[in-house]
Amino acid sequence: MPPLAEYHGPDTQGPDTQGPDVQAPLLSRYEALLALTEQMLSLAADHAWDELIAIEGDYVSQVAALDSAARDGATLDGAAPMASLDADERQRLGSLLEAILVNDLALREKLVHRRDELGELLKVSRNQQDLHRAYAGGRVVNAGTRFRRETP
């Protein structure tokens, strides 16, 4: 997955392209974020947890960078702040954000399910350890000697 600044979807212009749409870099960053959420969702569906964790940090940092830039009114790759988006660009941004949030919710549901699965596995493992300890590795403990009586 290329960094957000390098992603350019089919509807966007790259930073080196001259044209009237100065918001293309900003929208392309959100498109790249959507692509990243789709990739993460796919990894979760495939139970590729290690790969998912590996790219989760990138997702978090990209979201933080976009949030910081939007809050501060800073520019992203030459794009003006979100307040200067025209109606079509706002509509596109709204659609991107909605899709990102839908993916994020689906991913969270998968992660909660995985957490619950891991919790059950830990519970079973603890029960097995308790049983192992109780039966001293499969040996029968003669309790009669403990209570001063021999058992047959």
Side-chain angles (χ1 to χ4, degrees), residues 118-133:
L118 291 174
E120 284 299 314
L121 289 173
L122 286 172
K123 185 177 173 182
V124 167
S125 177
R126 276 189 228 119
N127 288 342
Q128 287 175 342
Q129 287 176 349
D130 291 345
L131 284 172
H132 180 72
R133 271 187 244 121

Side-chain angles (χ1 to χ4, degrees), residues 4 11 17 20 30 33-34 47 49 54 57 59 65 72 74 80 86 98 105 110 115-116 118 133 136 140 152:
L4 284 175
D11 305 331
T17 306
Y30 279 95
L33 192 59
L34 176 59
H47 303 283
W49 305 113
Y59 171 78
D72 298 340
D86 67 27
E98 185 176 345
L105 179 60
K110 288 183 181 301
R115 181 201 62 200
D116 294 345
L118 291 174
R133 271 187 244 121
V140 176

